[in-house]
Structures are given as structure tokens and as C-alpha cells.
Amino acid sequence: MQFGFDGLFFARLDYQDWNKRLQTKTLEQVWMASGSLGDQASLFTGVLYNGYGPPGGFCFECGDTPIMDDSKLENYNVDRRVDDFLRTVRDQAQYYTTENIMLTMGSDFQYENARKNFKNMDKLIYHVNMRQMNGSTVNVLYSTPSCYVKAVNEANKTYTSKEDDFFPYAHRDHSFWTGYFTSRPALKGYERSSDNFLQICKQLDALSMLTAGHGARTKIDVLRKAMGILQHHDGVSGTEKQHVAYDYARMVAEGVASCQEVLNMAYGKLLPLSSSMSLPVVQFCPLANVSICPVSENSKQFVILAYNPFGREARHHLRIPVSGNSFIVKDARQMPVTVQVVPLPASTLALPEFEASKATGELVFAAEIPPLGLTTFFVQASTDISDAQRSTSVVSDPSGSDFTIKNQYVSVTFDGDTGFMKSLTNVKSSLTIQLTNSWLYYRSFDGDNHDGEHQASGAYIFRPNGTVAQPISSKATTSVVQGSAVQEVRQTFSDWASQVVRVYDESRHVEIEWTIGPVPVQDGIGKEVISRFVTDLNNYKVFYTDSNGREMLQRIRDYRPTWNLDQTEPVAGNYYPVNSKIFIQDVAKSRQLTVFTDRTQGGSSLANGEIELMAHRRVLHDDSLGVSEPLSEPGLDGRGLIIRGKYYLYLDSIAESTPVHREMAQRIYMAPSVGFISTMMSPDAYSKNYKTSWSGLKESIGLPANVHLLTLEQWRSGKFLIRLEHIYESHDKQNLSKVANVSLETLFTPFSIVSVDEQTLGANQPLAHATRLQWMVKGHGKTKKDMSSYVTPVDPKKLIVALKPMQIRTFVVTVKVN
């Protein structure tokens, strides 16, 4: 792996996979985790025999019998306990290929009593090893995973390889751990948007070259640490108790507020044209997704600062909450911008959070923002009738016949009778598919969890009661909003399910903003809510999901590549994590439909031509896997949590879809940040005092089309940390799957890079010094030792970085101010 790890050990895999690996003695293998990176992404991987807990009977904090080795004691038991332990060791050893095995001692909520644990383990080690005097071949010692891996490696065995992943998995029949792919969707969405803001915060700290006197690093650390804690496997997964989820959100909110201070310092240093000028305070609107933004609602005149953290120019449609229906917007050159005021939908007006808002609509316009840069917009309310006419939206109710919204690139037709989508067309490619999108829910299975047959759906487990999802409604009440910037169809399915389908001017995709909740449970039935897309494509059971936003993994319904699946849950057993996108392909027609998400969700293709994504869950029973409470989030008013999110649809040929889905997923993740300045300065006066457009990259076109700037931040001792990522796989579109070259020396505007020190991915070890254990892999040969052998060395004079497909290269760099 690019971190330089020698081994990985984990506990959770499917019980059927586990049984086969026991039979074939393949609990340890070499995971070839990337077809593009090959050997560089190989990793010795072991499945822990006892999960991540101690062997049965030897959990000294769980009430298991302690080691009593004083023969004068009535409960003297050391001989029996040593016999039990040796049987345990022999049982485990038969499934491994070397003379070494690992026994994990401790688990969740254990090792709280050090004396009890170590006193008993000391006795156990001593008395087991004393048996060697009587011919025992078992030697027990305190050790570490690193020591174990080294010992196994020295046995020089040949291992099988694994090229797929371990999803989805069940610990027994009917018990698939696919619910947590969606659990706590608000927290998952908050994690995604806050990580975006963290990257923006680090970038602007670096580009403005804030000094230690500004205290920016301490402020960034508040969000950095909160995001780190949220990565806990019972954090972003949504498998924590409700009060713990609140605490995670509190920490992240404090971090976001702290980084807002950093952005103010950065803008204050970057934008003034003279040292005598100070920039007014930049305000932010973290609740803009529910149309709440006090500065834009209450101001007749304000300035917008839009920062683009992506390494290429962004064309992004801004939606600004406003009160009023007529506005003039000018860009950084004080040229008028085409705008549209869109009235707020009923779903927004009904939100409990919205009660304090004065907004009546959203000001919509396209913003073109330079790469790693910012631009300015000047907004002023207008009383001119002609301005109102230009920005007004036309709202209409369809009269029963089919109707369409479209732009230069995409067209969506809706059924006049049902109000549902009917077809999707890529205008430029002249491709049309039948497409219906509806909202449904699975009834959650209730049970007492004493065996698989009675497994309940919970925070970890998704288990529907049956295989048929119930439609929320067979029809949608619709209205159409049209104007110069965006066309919308507003669909209401029930009082707790609605969405807005949008086509922006010059956009190549369709945006769907959905609002779900509070999910009704008064009937005593938990519900798992899904959005389903039904097309006339034939994907022959095959679909694709992303792996952590990077490589696309092929999935086949009711199939596992490494064992013969006995499917006990036709729905939950086919769900996979969708971090950024899922797509199906009709190879015969050469068509691909891709659905992008704004947060991690569970998803699948349960029938040919279909894609479904789980957006929300509210279940009434615990699944007995550690949370000890049902997953039923109360929301602001206690009636149940309301979730708002977005999907993005893109249709094209298979060949042309690849560059779009690679680029678009990154753009969604690295969305622009919008700040506001309340000021009565005229655009002309503001422009004479402050920069209105600026880019941190010297090349206006930005980075090469296949390269992403993964990290830019100030590091230690005046140095900077930079990570560059090749975002294509080796089998993708030919010209973009080639080696990409980036010149570091002249890349950035504020500074020049004078020297580089390449590191492993974690930036904790020089790549030149990084070595890994070598493994013999069946069908692959021997893995490499030196990690530097995977990369093309950087010429210290030219500073050109070569990136192979899917490769990430990490540098600590020395800079000089330009």
C-alpha cells in the first residue's frame, strides 16, 4: 500500500467466506487491492481468528475463570486452564500455514482493569511455557502485530491473492451488515461537507502563507481533530448512540467555526490591494442547504466571495437565500450576470429549522471560478420592473399531458398522468432512455436477534421484511419552475417525501434535491427509504460502485468472486457502499447511466435496468450488535429527522461516460465555498480596494485533466505538504489513463517550489527509506521491497512529477515567496 504498511488484520468478513477460508487455510492472503497500481497496492492481509477479542474462556474482564496457581487454594485450576488454553491454540493453529499464530487479548470496553488482565496473562504465559519441559511445542509471548507479520514472513510461504473487496458481509444467515452504509445520513452528509471545508481551510492557509502569529494552525487543528475522531468505525458509520452522534456533530461544528476564522484571515491577507485596507468580515451560511442565510436574507446589498478548491476552473450554480424577487448581480469585472429568483418549495417552508428565516426565494446564477481561486459577485436588490422581469421564475402546473425540462445538453420528460420521470435524453449524443424515478420503503424486520431467522434490522444490519419495497405514492403532485438560469420540476409524493428535479443552463447533468422525513412510524413499523431509478437498459445483473471515491468495482447480483454464495437476503445481501457514484451499463447499446451521491449510502441494482439508493432509515428495534438502542433519530422537533440531499444523473455512451464520472465525482466533493460581506460599498469602490478575482495556480486552465490536488497545506518548519493524485484507472479512456506529468516548480502563484522530499502517503517517512516485507504470491511472483521503485524519481532541477494511473504521490516541499 502507498502508506508503506506491511500487513492488515481485521475481523469482519462474511461467514460463508470465513468457512471456506477455514477449509482452504487461506485466512491469510495478499490483497492485490488495485488493478492499476498492481504490486504497489499489495498488502498481506489476515483475518483474526477470534474476531478482535480474546479466545473463548480467556476474557478475564468478562467473568471468565481467573488463573489460580496456588496449590493451597481450594479453587486451584492452573493445570486445567493450561490444558484449555493449549486446546484453543491447537484448534486455531490448524487453519494457518506457519508455526506462528496471533491471539488477540482484549476488545471493546476491555483492558479497563490492567492488573486483572496482566496478572492472569503473566500466569498463563509462565505455566504454558513450563509445559515445554514435558515436551510441549507451544511458546507464548507478549508480542505486536508487526512482530507477528515479520515471523510469518520469515517462514517464506506462498500465499493466494484477493483482488475484490470484502463487501457485503454477514456474520450469519439473514444478518448482512449493510444498514450502516446509510445509517445517520445527516451525520454522513455533514462529514462530507465538513471535510470539503477542511481542505479549503488548509488550502487558503497555505496560499495566503499565514504565519505562526496568525494562530491558523491551532484553529485548523480544531476541525482536523474533529474530522479525525469522526472517522472512528462507530462514528461516520452511524452506529453510535444518539447522544454520541450529537457530540460528534458538536465537535465538527466547532471545527467549522474555527476554520471560518482562518478563511477570514486568509482573505484578509490575499484580497486587500494596499496594506492600509482591511477586508470587512466574511460571513458564512452553513444552513444554506435549507435556505437559511441571515446576511443575504436581511441585506439589500452584499458581496459574495466564491472560492474553488478544485484544480481546474469550476462552473457552479450558486443558490443564495433572499427575501425579494428582483436583484442585480455583477461579476468580478462588474459585468451583469444572468440571474433567476426561484420561489422556495413547500418542502423548505415546512422545515422546523426554517421558522426563523425571512427568505422567500433563492437567487440562482452561474459562477465561473478560477482553479484554486476565488471570484467576486456584487448583489443588489432592485425595484426596477425590468430587472424583476428578467429574474422572475415562471411557475406552472402541468395540465395532464407529458412535459419536459431541458437545456443545450440534457432533457428530462415527465409523465403527465403520474408526475414521474418518463425519459432522459443526452441531447448532444442523441441518446434517450426510458427512466422512471420513484420513492419507496422497505418494511424493517423485527426480531429478538437470538438467531439469524430472528435478526432485526438495526443500525448495523439492514434486513427488510420481504423483498418488495412499498411505494410511498403511485403519483406525484407536480409544479414546473422555469427561468433563465434553471428549470425545475417539483414533485411531492407525500407529506414526508418530495424532491426537486433541476436542469441548469449549460449543465450536462440532472440534479435531484430530495427531502425525506420525518419517516412515519406510528404504525409500529420501521422503514428503510429508497430512491429507485428504473430504465430500459439491460445490465445483465452487473453494476459498478466506487471504492472510497477512487476505483470502480464490478458487482454482480447474487454473486461473490471467491466463493459460491448461498443467498439468504436477496435485497440486503446485494447492497454495497456507494461513496460517490454507482452506474449500470448496457453494453449492447453502449449506454451508461451514472448516479452520483453527495454522501455515502447503500445502493444496488436488484433488477436489470435498475439502480436504487437508500437515503434514510428509521427502525424501531436494536440489532444487538453494540448500539443498544433503535436507530430512530428524533430531529429538531422530536417528530423524526428530516434529511435533505442530492443525486446527480448523467447519461452517455460507455466510452464518453468515463471522463465525466471521474471528473464530476471530484467536483461534487470539492464544491466551492461561498462567503458573504455585508457592505454598502459600490462595486467600483470595492474593486479599487480589493482583488475581485484571483487564482492560486499560475496556469489559468489548472491541472491536467487526469490529476487532482489531493492535499495542499502548511507543514512543519516552514515547509508545505502536497499530494497529487491520478484519478483514472489504467483501463479507462486511453488518453487520460496515460502517465500524467505535473511541473511543481511553477505550479503555484504565491510561491515557487525550490526542493521536494518525497514521502509515503502518510507523510511520516521519506519514500527513499521506505521498504516493505516481500511476499510470494501465487500467480504474481514476489512483491517488491523498495517503495521508491514504484515511482519515477523527481529531477531536483526540473521538479516534474510523473503520476501513473491511480497513483498518489506525497511531497514535503520547500518554497520561496514569489
Side-chain angles (χ1 to χ4, degrees):
M1 297 294 285
Q2 297 179 78
F3 275 105
F5 294 149
D6 277 319
L8 166 70
F9 296 93
F10 70 103
R12 303 293 182 195
L13 83 165
D14 192 271
Y15 72 105
Q16 295 180 39
D17 191 7
W18 164 265
N19 289 334
K20 181 176 180 182
R21 291 183 180 280
L22 285 180
Q23 296 167 10
T24 57
K25 297 182 73 170
T26 53
L27 290 173
E28 294 174 333
Q29 72 258 292
V30 175
W31 195 358
M32 308 299 288
S34 169
S36 298
L37 292 171
D39 184 38
Q40 186 179 4
S42 63
L43 183 63
F44 179 80
T45 302
V47 182
L48 299 172
Y49 188 75
N50 297 297
Y52 41 78
F58 293 91
C59 181
F60 299 114
E61 279 188 275
C62 309
D64 287 343
T65 305
I67 309 297
M68 309 290 281
D69 61 350
D70 186 341
S71 60
K72 296 188 294 294
L73 293 174
E74 183 178 346
N75 294 325
Y76 174 80
N77 65 4
V78 66
D79 294 330
R80 175 173 59 82
R81 296 294 278 139
V82 169
D83 290 341
D84 292 344
F85 185 80
L86 289 173
R87 278 193 294 272
T88 295
V89 167
R90 285 192 290 269
D91 175 68
Q92 179 172 336
Q94 65 180 312
Y95 300 113
Y96 290 82
T97 58
T98 76
E99 295 180 349
N100 301 280
I101 61 172
M102 185 194 306
L103 297 176
T104 51
M105 302 296 290
S107 187
D108 289 352
F109 309 110
Q110 294 178 24
Y111 273 126
E112 294 177 355
N113 189 325
R115 184 176 185 277
K116 179 181 288 187
N117 274 291
F118 284 100
K119 180 179 180 180
N120 281 280
M121 285 191 290
D122 286 347
K123 290 181 179 181
L124 192 62
I125 291 171
Y126 173 79
H127 289 289
V128 168
N129 290 343
M130 286 295 292
R131 290 283 183 97
Q132 295 172 19
M133 298 176 63
N134 297 323
S136 172
T137 59
V138 175
N139 186 62
V140 187
L141 70 157
Y142 287 118
S143 189
T144 66
S146 295
C147 291
Y148 173 74
V149 171
K150 185 174 184 296
V152 171
N153 180 262
E154 289 173 348
N156 200 29
K157 299 287 186 178
T158 298
Y159 289 90
T160 59
S161 62
K162 180 177 177 64
E163 297 179 358
D164 59 319
D165 63 5
F166 291 91
F167 290 120
Y169 55 84
H171 67 285
R172 62 186 179 189
D173 59 326
H174 304 290
S175 305
F176 281 92
W177 294 50
T178 53
Y180 76 83
F181 300 161
T182 296
S183 295
R184 301 199 188 279
L187 187 64
K188 283 179 166 64
Y190 196 30
E191 183 273 343
R192 185 67 56 88
S193 63
S194 299
D195 188 58
N196 162 273
F197 196 61
L198 175 59
Q199 304 313 314
I200 290 168
C201 187
K202 293 192 294 185
Q203 285 183 9
L204 283 168
D205 171 54
L207 293 170
S208 62
M209 304 187 76
L210 296 176
T211 63
H214 291 94
R217 184 178 184 88
T218 300
K219 294 181 182 298
I220 295 171
D221 277 349
V222 179
L223 183 54
R224 193 197 318 263
K225 291 177 179 178
M227 293 301 298
I229 292 170
L230 188 51
Q231 301 314 304
H232 185 271
H233 69 256
D234 283 319
V236 68
S237 60
T239 52
E240 62 275 80
K241 290 180 182 292
Q242 184 64 56
H243 72 274
V244 178
Y246 287 150
D247 197 48
Y248 281 132
R250 175 195 60 79
M251 288 189 288
V252 173
E254 290 174 355
V256 168
S258 185
C259 262
Q260 289 173 358
E261 296 179 36
V262 175
L263 264 63
N264 264 284
M265 291 187 288
Y267 288 149
K269 187 175 180 183
L270 285 172
L271 298 185
L273 292 172
S274 71
S275 58
S276 62
M277 291 299 301
S278 61
L279 187 73
V281 174
V282 181
Q283 301 177 59
F284 300 88
C285 296
L287 295 179
N289 68 315
V290 291
S291 301
I292 299 175
C293 183
V295 63
S296 62
E297 295 168 28
N298 298 309
S299 303
K300 298 298 182 182
Q301 180 177 321
F302 55 92
V303 173
I304 295 174
L305 297 180
Y307 175 75
N308 170 27
F310 196 55
R312 288 178 283 286
E313 183 181 60
R315 188 176 192 276
H316 188 84
H317 280 84
L318 303 183
R319 301 184 70 95
I320 311 300
V322 292
S323 56
N325 56 15
S326 180
F327 291 85
I328 298 171
V329 179
K330 294 182 179 180
D331 65 14
R333 297 172 297 166
Q334 299 186 47
M335 299 298 292
V337 175
T338 299
V339 301
Q340 179 181 344
V341 178
V342 179
L344 296 179
S347 59
T348 295
L349 299 176
L351 293 171
E353 292 89 345
F354 187 74
E355 288 183 3
S357 176
K358 295 180 180 179
T360 58
E362 289 182 312
L363 180 64
V364 181
F365 59 92
E368 295 184 355
I369 316 172
L372 227 66
L374 61 87
T375 193
T376 307
F377 295 94
F378 304 95
V379 182
Q380 185 170 12
S382 173
T383 57
D384 191 300
I385 295 176
S386 61
D387 291 331
Q389 290 174 339
R390 282 192 291 270
S391 61
T392 297
S393 296
V394 177
V395 182
S396 61
D397 294 321
S399 57
S401 58
D402 292 355
F403 54 97
T404 300
I405 57 173
K406 63 182 179 180
N407 65 11
Q408 305 89 331
Y409 299 101
V410 64
S411 171
V412 189
T413 298
F414 294 79
D415 188 290
D417 292 327
T418 65
F420 287 179
M421 285 186 199
K422 190 172 185 178
S423 67
L424 173 64
T425 297
N426 182 319
V427 176
K428 289 295 182 181
S429 301
S430 299
L431 296 179
T432 298
I433 62 170
Q434 296 175 20
L435 173 64
T436 300
N437 171 228
S438 57
W439 285 87
L440 311 93
Y441 64 87
Y442 292 104
R443 294 188 176 99
S444 303
F445 192 93
D446 299 336
D448 61 11
N449 306 311
H450 75 269
D451 61 11
E453 287 284 350
H454 296 84
Q455 176 66 58
S457 211
Y460 292 95
I461 301 296
F462 166 39
R463 188 185 182 194
N465 192 348
T467 59
V468 178
Q470 309 301 311
I472 292 176
S473 175
S474 59
K475 287 188 175 183
T477 302
T478 60
S479 63
V480 180
V481 179
Q482 293 179 303
S484 54
V486 64
Q487 298 178 47
E488 300 183 349
V489 173
R490 298 175 173 182
Q491 300 173 301
T492 301
F493 305 98
S494 75
D495 59 357
W496 60 275
S498 63
Q499 68 183 18
V500 181
V501 182
R502 298 186 179 115
V503 174
Y504 290 102
D505 183 49
E506 295 190 26
S507 176
R508 296 176 183 269
H509 63 270
V510 178
E511 178 184 291
I512 300 175
E513 184 174 58
W514 45 268
T515 305
I516 301 296
V519 178
V521 291
Q522 296 89 339
D523 56 3
I525 299 173
K527 297 173 180 64
E528 331 249 357
V529 186
I530 65 166
S531 181
R532 179 177 288 168
F533 302 87
V534 180
T535 75
D536 58 349
L537 301 177
N538 192 342
N539 56 312
Y540 292 97
K541 293 188 175 184
V542 178
F543 58 104
Y544 297 82
T545 64
D546 68 297
S547 176
N548 293 322
R550 285 173 49 80
E551 302 191 56
M552 298 303 299
L553 300 182
Q554 185 189 74
R555 313 298 195 181
I556 302 175
R557 190 165 66 250
D558 294 327
Y559 173 78
R560 303 291 187 267
T562 53
W563 81 90
N564 294 323
L565 175 66
D566 177 14
Q567 183 64 276
T568 62
E569 287 292 325
V571 177
N574 283 303
Y575 258 60
Y576 291 84
V578 178
N579 295 293
S580 67
K581 58 199 165 187
I582 179 173
F583 62 72
I584 56 174
Q585 297 175 336
D586 189 321
V587 177
K589 296 178 181 178
S590 186
R591 295 180 185 181
Q592 176 174 316
L593 176 66
T594 307
V595 182
F596 301 85
T597 65
D598 65 350
R599 71 200 71 194
T600 298
Q601 296 181 344
S604 189
S605 174
L606 296 179
N608 288 338
E610 294 185 5
I611 291 174
E612 69 177 55
L613 290 157
M614 185 178 292
H616 201 354
R617 311 182 69 220
R618 192 177 187 187
V619 300
L620 304 181
H621 292 262
D622 179 50
D623 53 21
S624 297
L625 290 170
V627 182
S628 300
E629 66 182 35
L631 181 67
S632 180
E633 299 180 272
L636 184 67
D637 59 3
R639 296 175 55 239
L641 185 65
I642 300 173
I643 296 296
R644 173 166 287 178
K646 291 182 179 179
Y647 296 135
Y648 307 85
L649 311 183
Y650 184 75
L651 170 69
D652 210 333
S653 67
I654 293 174
E656 294 305 315
S657 291
T658 299
V660 174
H661 81 69
R662 290 286 177 197
E663 178 87 355
M664 189 170 167
Q666 294 289 349
R667 288 187 179 275
I668 293 170
Y669 173 58
M670 298 297 283
S673 170
V674 179
F676 302 85
I677 297 175
S678 180
T679 177
M680 294 308 294
M681 273 195 292
S682 68
D684 187 55
Y686 183 97
S687 300
K688 288 179 180 178
N689 290 293
Y690 308 106
K691 297 172 187 173
T692 57
S693 183
W694 180 86
S695 176
L697 296 182
K698 286 188 175 180
E699 293 291 336
S700 60
I701 59 173
L703 291 169
N706 48 6
V707 175
H708 173 52
L709 179 65
L710 188 62
T711 304
L712 171 62
E713 63 179 283
Q714 294 207 56
W715 203 233
R716 305 181 185 95
S717 305
K719 298 180 185 294
F720 284 31
L721 177 67
I722 293 173
R723 290 188 182 94
L724 293 170
E725 173 188 19
H726 196 306
I727 63 173
Y728 281 78
E729 295 182 60
S730 58
H731 58 76
D732 283 337
K733 196 172 178 67
Q734 187 174 5
N735 61 324
L736 293 170
S737 293
K738 295 179 180 178
V739 172
N741 294 298
V742 179
S743 174
L744 289 180
E745 185 180 16
T746 59
L747 185 60
F748 298 101
T749 303
F751 52 82
S752 297
I753 295 174
V754 296
S755 66
V756 303
D757 180 12
E758 186 159 11
Q759 304 280 305
T760 57
L761 185 59
N764 61 344
Q765 184 179 187
L767 191 69
H769 301 161
T771 61
R772 297 202 301 162
L773 297 175
Q774 294 178 275
W775 303 92
M776 286 298 299
V777 186
K778 186 177 180 180
H780 292 273
K782 196 169 191 177
T783 61
K784 295 180 181 179
K785 177 181 180 181
D786 296 323
M787 290 191 65
S788 59
S789 64
Y790 297 116
V791 302
T792 303
V794 177
D795 188 313
K797 294 182 178 179
K798 297 181 179 179
L799 297 183
I800 294 176
V801 176
L803 291 159
K804 300 172 185 176
M806 283 287 109
Q807 197 170 56
I808 300 172
R809 298 186 69 175
T810 304
F811 302 93
V812 172
V813 304
T814 304
V815 304
K816 67 176 182 179
V817 180
N818 288 337

